[in-house]
Amino acid sequence: MGNDGGMHRATRTAAGLGIGGVLVLAAASVALAHGGEAAEPTLGIILTTWTRDPLPWIGIVVATVAYLAAVRIVNRHHPTNTVPGWRIAAWLGGVAAIAVALLSAVDVYAESLFSVHMVQHLLMAMVAPPLLAFGAPVTLALRVATPGVRRGVLLPLLHSRVVRAVSWPPVGWAIFAAVMWATHFSPLFNAALDNEALHSAEHLLYLVAGALFWWPVIGADPVRWRLSPIGRMVYLASQMPFNTAVGLAIYFAPAVLYPHYAAIIRTWGPDPFTDQQVAGIVMWGIGDVILLGALVLAIAAWLGADEMHSRRAREQAARNVERASIESG
C-alpha cells in the first residue's frame, strides 16, 4: 500500500513537471500591455515594479514547486544517488531569469528603451535556457516517473522522430541564428512592440530557440545526438560571428530601425538613436561574453577529460609493467 501511494505521488509529480514546463513556456509568452509613457526609472521603481498578471506568476511558481517536489521524491527514494544541489540551483536560476525578464521592471521598460528590450531578449535566449538545461529536467522526470509512464510516455516521446529532428545540433544552431536575425531585421520586431499577441509569440520564440541551441551544449539530459568535445567548441565558436554581426549591424545602423522607438517622446533617458546603439553594444558585448564563457568552459572540460584519460592510461601502463615484472620474476 505504501509503495502504491509513493507511485501515485511520483506520477502526480511527473505530471506536475510536465505542466510546470508548459507553464514556464506560457509565462514566457505573456507580455504586458503598457499604456502611456513609463515613469523615469529610479532604484525604488525598478525594485518594486512587478506585473500583477497572474499567469506568469502561476507558471513560475508551478515550475519551481514541481521541480522541487520531484527532487524531494528522488532524494527520498534514492538517498545514495540524490539530485546534486548545483543542478537544483541551476534550475531555480533559469526560472529566476525568466521571472526577471517577464515580471519585473525589465518588461515594463522594454517598450520604452530598446537597450532594455535587448537585455530581455538575452535573458530569454542566452541566460535562462542553459541554466534550465543544467537542471536536467528530462532526467529528473525519467527518475520520478512510474515505470509505466516512463516506458509508455516519456521514452517514446524522447525517441520520436520530431524530438530526434529538433535535437540534432545543426538544427538548433540554425534556428537560433535565424531567430536572432529574423526578429531584429524584419517587420516582426516592430510589430511585436505594438501587438500583444506577437509580443507573446516573440518571447516564446526566444525561449524555444535558446533551449534548442543550448540543450546539446549542456548535454545533461539523454538525447539522441551528442556533441563531441571538439564539436561542442566548434558549435559555440561558430555562433559568435553571427551574434557579433547582429550587434554591430544594430550599432552601425544609420537611423533608428524601429518606428515604435522613433515615435517615443521621453523626458528622460537617451534619445532613440543613442538607445539603439547601446542595444547593439549589449547584444554584441554581453552576447559574445556569454558564448565565450561557454566556450572556455567547454575547453576546460575537454582538457580535464583528456588529462583524466591520459592519467588512467599511465596508471594502466604502470600496472601492466608491474604485472609483467612479477610474472618474469
Side-chain angles (χ1 to χ4, degrees):
M1 184 68 178
N3 290 338
D4 290 341
M7 296 294 274
H8 287 308
R9 287 193 297 273
T11 302
R12 289 196 300 270
T13 305
L17 270 176
I19 294 171
V22 170
L23 288 175
V24 167
L25 294 180
S29 68
V30 174
L32 300 177
H34 306 295
E37 178 187 343
E40 181 176 1
T42 64
L43 181 60
I45 290 176
I46 292 173
L47 294 178
T48 58
T49 300
W50 298 89
T51 178
R52 296 179 182 178
D53 194 319
L55 184 57
W57 289 102
I58 292 171
I60 295 299
V61 171
V62 170
T64 302
V65 172
Y67 187 91
L68 294 178
V71 167
R72 182 180 179 185
I73 291 174
V74 170
N75 289 351
R76 185 171 67 246
H77 287 84
H78 305 280
T80 60
N81 186 23
T82 59
V83 179
W86 65 270
R87 289 205 183 278
I88 301 171
W91 175 266
L92 296 178
V95 173
I98 295 175
V100 171
L102 297 181
L103 305 179
S104 74
V106 169
D107 188 56
V108 174
Y109 286 97
E111 293 194 2
S112 299
L113 292 169
F114 181 24
S115 53
V116 176
H117 203 158
M118 190 63 78
V119 170
Q120 186 182 48
H121 287 180
L122 291 178
L123 285 170
M124 296 296 292
M126 301 184 74
V127 176
L131 288 173
L132 294 175
F134 271 121
V138 176
T139 300
L140 182 61
L142 289 170
R143 295 187 68 186
V144 78
T146 63
V149 171
R150 191 182 306 118
R151 290 193 300 266
V153 179
L154 297 180
L155 290 177
L157 179 62
L158 289 174
H159 296 152
S160 67
R161 292 182 179 181
V162 173
V163 172
R164 280 188 294 173
V166 299
S167 63
W168 190 40
V171 170
W173 189 100
I175 289 176
F176 187 80
V179 165
M180 288 300 174
W181 272 97
T183 55
H184 290 99
F185 301 111
S186 75
L188 174 63
F189 191 97
N190 192 78
L193 289 166
D194 299 320
N195 184 290
E196 184 175 351
L198 283 178
H199 203 178
S200 301
E202 183 186 57
H203 287 161
L204 181 60
L205 187 62
Y206 279 120
L207 188 60
V208 171
L212 293 176
F213 176 78
W214 287 102
W215 231 264
V217 173
I218 305 304
D221 283 319
V223 291
R224 170 64 178 81
W225 314 100
R226 285 198 173 275
L227 288 170
S228 67
I230 298 296
R232 186 177 288 110
M233 288 183 277
V234 172
Y235 183 91
L236 289 165
S238 60
Q239 188 67 232
M240 291 180 66
F242 285 86
N243 181 81
T244 299
V246 173
L248 291 181
I250 292 172
Y251 179 81
F252 286 112
V256 177
L257 294 170
Y258 313 111
H260 173 94
Y261 289 117
I264 288 179
I265 299 176
R266 284 183 279 99
T267 58
W268 52 268
D271 62 87
F273 186 73
T274 302
D275 176 48
Q276 179 173 282
Q277 290 183 315
V278 174
I281 294 174
V282 168
M283 180 68 183
W284 171 33
I286 298 179
D288 274 11
V289 165
I290 293 173
L291 289 169
L292 182 60
L295 179 59
V296 169
L297 291 176
I299 293 173
W302 173 56
L303 293 176
D306 186 61
E307 173 61 26
M308 182 179 296
H309 178 75
S310 298
R311 184 171 66 251
R312 288 176 178 174
R314 291 193 299 269
E315 292 172 351
Q316 183 61 45
R319 286 193 294 269
N320 291 342
V321 170
E322 183 180 358
R323 187 181 301 111
S325 175
I326 293 172
E327 292 174 355
S328 62

